Amino acid sequence: MSAAWKRAAVAAAVVIASAALVLALFPAEGSEAAAVGGLSVDVYDQDSEDYGSLAYMNEKLPRSLEPEEWTLSDQGFWYGLSSGSSAGSILTYSETGASLSDIRGDIRARLGLGSSDGFAILQVMFTSSYGASATVAVEKDGVQTEISGSDRASVTVGGGIPLSTAMQHACIFTVGSSESCDIRTGSVSGTYSAEVESGGYSISAQTFFARDFVKVSGTVADASGSAIEGASVSYASAGGRTDTGTVSTASDGSFSFRVPKGSTVSLTSVSCSGYTFPYIPQPGTAISDTALPEVRASEKTLWVTVSDAGGVPAAGVEINAVWLIQNASSDDPSMYNKSAVSGMCSVISATDSSGRAGISYTVPKGDTVYLYVRAVSGSIYTFQANDGDGGILDGLPKTEGSPFPSSLLEGNVLWSPSSSAEIALTAVESSVSVSAESSNGRPLRDATVSAVWYYQTGSGSPYAITDDPSTISTAIAAGHAAAVGPTGAGGLTSVVYKVPSGLPSGCAAYLVISFAGFTAGSPRDVYSFSVADIKAADSSPSGIPDLASGKNGTAVLSGTFTGVALASDDAAYKCSGTLAGTMPQGASAAVSYGASQSSMADLIVPASDGTFSFYVKAGTSATVTWATVDGYAFSNDRFTTAAAFADFTYSSEVSAVPSSFERAVPSAIGAYTVSGLPSGAEALFAYTVSGAGHRASFTSDGGSLRFSILGWEGDAVTGLSVSSEGYYMSASGADYTAHAIVKKQIVTYASQGGALTRNNTVPNISLTVYCDGTQYAKVSTGSDGRATASLPLTAGLKYVYGDYTVTDRVSEASDPFDGFLSVNLYGLVDTETSVVVHARFMAVTAATEDQAPTSVDLIPVQEISAKTGSEIRLEAPDMTGFRFSGWMLDGSLVGTDAVCTLPVTADMDGKAVVAAYSAEPEDSGSGIDPAALASGCWE
């Protein structure tokens, strides 16, 4: 092994990715522990961004370790847990806190390379037990490789060391086309696998390594070609390895991801609220930067911009939209309705920070249609028109000169699909910006403000001050004022207002904005504000502006409204600091303020260069406490500042240094089985161990697939999910069973007797399907009562309609719905209608050469009223001189017995059920042939 370190490596490359998929094989339950385990295979080169699992390659020990704990062996590196320990674990770079440049320098120094030379190394890491030796064999792209330029196809490590438990090995080989490399290969990119055998046990693992990646990009748009932002695009690539992922579209509808060169890429799903995507492109092999065909939704988009009366965007406003159809008939009592419109419209969300909201829609078919769009009045914003419950009622009267009542168009929009796809709505109110700050202008967030209209009346002095307009005049419109919310990080919020109207002569209105407090839990509640009490001075001869004079926590607005600042009585000063040393990911600190050092605290996160800052109230101190980060320790991790009287820098350096910690030998912390997958199907495992996410995929051989997860003592597997495309996984403990997902047609109907016909289907029904107690799918039948759904073949399905579980009403249908799942909703939906059926008892004369057969009623026609879904019972009486031959309905024979029972359907209304008799004598032995009953005589 030591000779291998002196060989040169391959030239520089561009991009690298390394990921290990580990499959551990264990002896049967009850046998001795395996001699080998914990196998991983990794490839690194000079462009790798993560060397965390690489064995430490510098002979100089990190300062966190003691020299007697370190041993370097030609048979593999290992790090002793303590001096004299008989067991060891590899020291990896994740434990040293070394920078990327330091790690690359260590590798080059160990390989005897120059500071700019490229390299590629393969590491095979595993544990061996009881001092046993192990044989390591390596394959690339399925072909076993020679090692160290000889004819050897494997190397042997370990052995001869009396260990009571286990020793971890890290076998490292140089890879490349140079003759000096341990493993000779034309291209470094590819799939590497290693098999380790010891004591009759073997274990294997593999990883895919690629230097060349391609960028795959595309766009998502609505039916008109406008970009859709925030759409979720999931993809999968197959080739050297299987990659899956999900990306979101940008504001221009674009998305992109990178996959290894040569991969076959497909989009597995595209989704976005309010849109459906009927077609997702499936491209071929990606060999260079690849642009996918545009993904288009079935719906178009109408953009709505909402602003206040001053043109400032109004955020968080709910939008309603409904299609209306203009009736062309002049004798129609209404000019429009919504119930007959088939088009779809869906408001995607409330307005965003720029005041915009999108409505996805499809245009209805038929006469002239309009989309009625309205903004919903709320506690902050109000809008002129308000049609009650937010909908449009059918049958409103006509309005002369206009197709729609003018009252519905005040402040709303009646939009035609032929118009621009951008409309605007305006709120009644205007807005004014409000800031909360310290006395020296530093922003204070979490501050809440109040906004109240006051009225000042009188002829001269004294003045009466009140916020109750009824004491002045019933004609006064009181106006409106409300704060949008507490101040944000910049100390800013806004007040939405409408100026009162109808004030009598000599009466003035003032909008008084005051600091009201801080949000619950805000550490800034140590700041105080002086606030004017306007109502307490009701009898004062002073005007309202005078009453607020000197109160920096109150502002009075009248006439022209501009932004105002509410200033605290206290100043604030900036404290700056720096986190030195290695910057650990996720580093943060809590800052508590004031002499009491209450439990309320701010969270600060240092910038990428380690700098951080926060504000401290004048004359007080603050305490900074750094949160624990696994693998790191902080020097000076808790400190308290001196009292602040000016901006200052905390002089004591705070450093993050890698902490030393011990690791035990890895072992299986979870074992799982998957059954039911056919040969060739792929199972994907996704799980988390100690906060780190992992993914692994395996191909089934048609039998039971076993998967084991390795970890350290105290580790636990969380968030495990097992999936396979086209299959649903049910779980029972650690055992998973795959159920094929198939497309099923579903029909909903209502029948008291349970019989399904084409005439008793029920349309527009929404069913919820649960699988193993979790909602799996929503199924909505169309106008024909039918729907198609992809459902797993498992007995654990539950069907719910509204508040009713209807699983016991689901069955396999027969003719005329062979292959359907039928759901009988009788008693749950109101489908019964009354029909009238006529029972006729008729005889037909025999045909002669001169006369065609004729028919005659033997007894008066009987009228029968019945409900659809019920049954009627008919009986043909004996008629002297006539023979009963059968029952006819719509020219078809429906029964030959004298007593006939028929299910009642809606299409039977007004029809006749005919009892057919022959006119021949009974002893003639002849009657009417049932096949002849279809003649027109029975109609």
Side-chain angles (χ1 to χ4, degrees):
M1 186 71 179
S2 58
W5 295 116
K6 300 178 182 178
R7 298 188 173 92
V10 296
V14 180
V15 183
I16 177 176
S18 176
L21 301 179
V22 180
L23 176 60
L25 305 180
F26 295 94
E29 187 174 351
S31 64
E32 292 185 357
V36 287
L39 175 64
S40 64
V41 180
D42 296 286
V43 180
Y44 304 93
D45 76 355
Q46 70 283 345
D47 294 314
S48 295
E49 294 295 328
D50 181 9
Y51 298 91
S53 298
L54 181 63
Y56 185 64
M57 297 171 66
N58 192 334
E59 293 188 10
K60 183 179 180 181
L61 205 61
R63 61 179 179 177
S64 61
L65 303 177
E66 297 297 328
E68 61 268 20
E69 296 178 344
W70 174 241
T71 301
L72 191 63
S73 166
D74 282 346
Q75 295 178 323
F77 302 100
W78 65 287
Y79 162 48
L81 299 179
S82 60
S83 60
S85 171
S86 59
S89 180
I90 294 292
L91 173 67
T92 61
Y93 275 102
S94 62
E95 299 167 81
T96 66
S99 65
L100 290 175
S101 60
D102 289 341
I103 297 172
R104 293 165 184 152
D106 289 350
I107 297 172
R108 288 188 172 100
R110 196 69 188 174
L111 299 178
L113 301 176
S115 60
S116 60
D117 289 342
F119 59 84
I121 57 176
L122 166 70
Q123 174 177 276
V124 180
M125 184 178 288
F126 62 95
T127 60
S128 64
S129 301
Y130 310 113
S133 62
T135 301
V136 181
V138 178
E139 290 185 355
K140 180 178 182 294
D141 297 330
V143 179
Q144 195 167 32
T145 62
E146 294 183 356
I147 298 177
S148 300
S150 67
D151 58 357
R152 290 183 299 158
S154 61
V155 295
T156 301
V157 298
I161 303 176
L163 297 179
S164 61
T165 52
M167 175 180 180
Q168 192 174 35
H169 299 270
C171 300
I172 300 180
F173 310 99
T174 55
V175 180
S177 58
S178 170
E179 293 184 359
S180 61
C181 291
D182 295 322
I183 297 176
R184 292 277 304 278
T185 178
S187 171
V188 175
S189 299
T191 300
Y192 293 84
S193 60
E195 182 177 21
V196 180
E197 187 276 331
S198 179
Y201 291 88
S202 66
I203 189 171
S204 63
Q206 70 177 27
T207 187
F208 176 75
F209 175 84
R211 276 182 163 163
D212 298 319
F213 281 75
V214 294
K215 178 183 178 181
V216 180
S217 59
T219 56
V220 178
D222 65 11
S224 64
S226 299
I228 296 179
E229 180 181 4
S232 180
V233 180
S234 297
Y235 65 90
S237 69
R241 68 175 179 192
T242 298
D243 274 347
T244 60
T246 300
V247 294
S248 295
T249 55
S251 58
D252 61 354
S254 64
F255 66 88
S256 65
F257 51 87
R258 299 180 67 85
V259 296
K261 185 176 181 180
S263 299
T264 300
V265 182
S266 62
L267 301 184
T268 55
S269 69
V270 179
S271 61
C272 187
S273 175
Y275 297 93
T276 55
F277 298 90
Y279 170 73
I280 300 175
Q282 305 288 316
T285 301
I287 56 175
S288 61
D289 281 9
T290 301
L292 300 177
E294 185 174 63
V295 181
R296 285 210 175 187
S298 300
E299 299 80 10
K300 296 181 180 180
T301 308
L302 171 65
W303 290 104
V304 183
T305 300
V306 182
S307 58
D308 66 16
V312 178
V317 176
E318 182 183 350
I319 303 297
N320 278 349
V322 62
W323 280 112
L324 304 177
I325 184 166
Q326 180 178 344
N327 297 322
S329 175
S330 60
D331 59 359
D332 192 330
S334 65
M335 280 300 291
Y336 64 87
N337 64 59
K338 66 177 181 177
S339 60
V341 181
S342 60
M344 184 280 293
C345 62
S346 175
V347 179
I348 299 171
S349 65
T351 56
D352 58 19
S353 58
S354 62
R356 278 169 60 90
I359 301 174
S360 61
Y361 69 92
T362 56
V363 179
K365 296 179 181 180
D367 297 330
T368 306
V369 293
Y370 297 90
L371 188 64
Y372 178 77
V373 183
R374 67 187 293 274
V376 181
S377 296
S379 60
I380 302 298
Y381 297 97
T382 56
F383 299 85
Q384 289 181 14
N386 188 348
D387 51 34
D389 61 357
I392 305 298
L393 301 178
D394 290 337
L396 291 182
K398 301 176 184 180
T399 300
E400 290 297 328
S402 172
F404 295 93
S406 58
S407 62
L408 297 180
L409 303 181
E410 297 175 1
N412 301 302
V413 172
L414 194 64
W415 178 77
S416 170
S418 61
S419 306
S420 169
E422 295 270 351
I423 61 175
L425 300 176
T426 304
V428 171
E429 294 82 6
S430 300
S431 62
V432 60
S433 64
V434 180
S435 65
E437 56 189 37
S438 65
S439 63
N440 56 340
R442 298 294 167 78
L444 298 177
R445 69 174 186 265
D446 303 336
T448 60
V449 299
S450 66
V452 180
W453 283 106
Y454 288 95
Y455 307 87
Q456 181 169 298
T457 64
S459 54
S461 296
Y463 288 87
I465 301 167
T466 177
D467 58 356
D468 180 5
S470 65
T471 62
I472 305 171
S473 169
T474 56
I476 292 179
H480 172 62
V484 172
T487 57
L492 292 174
T493 185
S494 60
V495 168
V496 172
Y497 68 91
K498 179 185 177 184
V499 178
S501 60
L503 296 177
S505 176
C507 179
Y510 295 92
L511 179 60
V512 178
I513 302 174
S514 300
F515 169 78
F518 287 99
T519 58
S522 172
R524 269 154 296 280
D525 64 358
V526 297
Y527 290 87
S528 60
F529 287 74
S530 57
V531 179
D533 187 351
I534 303 298
K535 293 187 69 175
D538 187 59
S539 60
S540 169
S542 301
I544 292 178
D546 294 335
L547 292 173
S549 177
K551 303 293 186 180
N552 293 330
T554 300
V556 178
L557 301 180
S558 182
T560 302
F561 285 51
T562 58
V564 298
L566 304 179
S568 170
D569 301 332
D570 306 306
Y573 296 105
K574 184 177 182 179
C575 174
S576 303
T578 302
L579 179 63
T582 303
M583 170 65 69
Q585 184 176 3
S588 63
V591 183
S592 52
Y593 302 93
S596 64
Q597 299 297 330
S598 67
S599 60
M600 296 181 294
D602 272 338
L603 180 69
I604 60 172
V605 177
S608 58
D609 60 358
T611 58
F612 59 90
S613 63
F614 53 90
Y615 291 108
V616 183
K617 178 184 171 182
T620 66
S621 61
T623 298
V624 180
T625 305
W626 290 92
T628 302
V629 179
D630 288 343
Y632 288 86
F634 290 92
S635 65
N636 205 14
D637 62 345
R638 179 181 173 88
F639 63 87
T640 300
T641 69
F645 294 100
D647 290 351
F648 63 100
T649 300
Y650 191 75
S651 58
S652 297
E653 182 182 85
V654 179
S655 299
V657 296
S659 60
S660 60
F661 57 94
E662 300 179 354
R663 297 199 321 185
V665 176
S667 60
I669 59 175
Y672 309 89
T673 61
V674 177
S675 59
L677 284 178
S679 179
E682 187 177 57
L684 176 66
F685 295 81
Y687 57 93
T688 299
V689 176
S690 298
H694 303 272
R695 299 173 69 90
S697 60
F698 300 96
T699 302
S700 171
D701 60 1
S704 181
L705 190 153
R706 181 178 173 85
F707 173 63
S708 296
I709 299 175
L710 301 180
W712 306 105
E713 182 180 354
D715 284 347
V717 180
T718 58
L720 174 67
S721 67
V722 183
S723 59
S724 181
E725 186 174 357
Y727 291 86
Y728 168 78
M729 293 290 181
S730 62
S732 176
D735 298 323
Y736 290 80
T737 303
H739 306 273
I741 297 175
V742 297
K743 280 191 175 181
K744 293 291 292 185
Q745 289 184 296
I746 296 175
V747 59
T748 50
Y749 73 105
S751 172
Q752 183 178 17
L756 169 61
T757 70
R758 296 187 184 277
N759 299 310
N760 60 8
T761 60
V762 180
N764 306 320
I765 293 296
S766 178
L767 297 173
T768 304
V769 183
Y770 292 84
C771 191
D772 295 332
T774 301
Q775 182 174 319
Y776 182 83
K778 283 272 192 181
V779 181
S780 297
T781 60
S783 58
D784 59 356
R786 306 181 192 182
T788 301
S790 294
L791 301 174
L793 291 177
T794 173
L797 296 183
K798 183 175 80 169
Y799 298 82
V800 175
Y801 168 68
D803 295 328
Y804 301 96
T805 298
V806 295
T807 307
D808 59 347
R809 296 166 175 250
V810 179
S811 60
E812 290 285 345
S814 56
D815 183 70
F817 293 96
D818 285 338
F820 278 68
L821 286 178
S822 63
V823 186
N824 189 356
L825 300 178
Y826 180 79
L828 303 181
V829 294
D830 183 14
T831 60
E832 293 184 347
T833 57
S834 294
V835 300
V836 176
V837 180
H838 302 282
R840 301 184 68 180
F841 304 85
M842 303 179 69
V844 65
T845 63
T848 67
E849 292 182 0
D850 301 324
Q851 184 176 1
T854 59
S855 59
V856 62
D857 287 306
L858 299 176
I859 60 177
V861 177
Q862 298 179 12
E863 185 177 283
I864 304 171
S865 295
K867 295 284 189 178
T868 57
S870 64
E871 294 179 338
I872 57 174
R873 183 180 183 276
L874 303 170
E875 183 174 355
D878 293 335
M879 298 286 185
T880 303
F882 297 93
R883 174 181 294 172
F884 173 72
S885 299
W887 292 95
M888 299 293 296
L889 176 62
D890 283 341
S892 298
L893 180 66
V894 294
T896 56
D897 295 332
V899 177
C900 178
T901 302
L902 295 177
V904 179
T905 59
D907 61 344
M908 294 173 65
D909 189 32
K911 293 183 178 180
V913 182
V914 179
Y917 292 84
S918 65
E920 288 79 7
E922 291 189 10
D923 58 1
S924 68
S926 65
I928 298 178
D929 184 354
L933 292 178
S935 69
C937 298
W938 305 110
E939 298 299 328

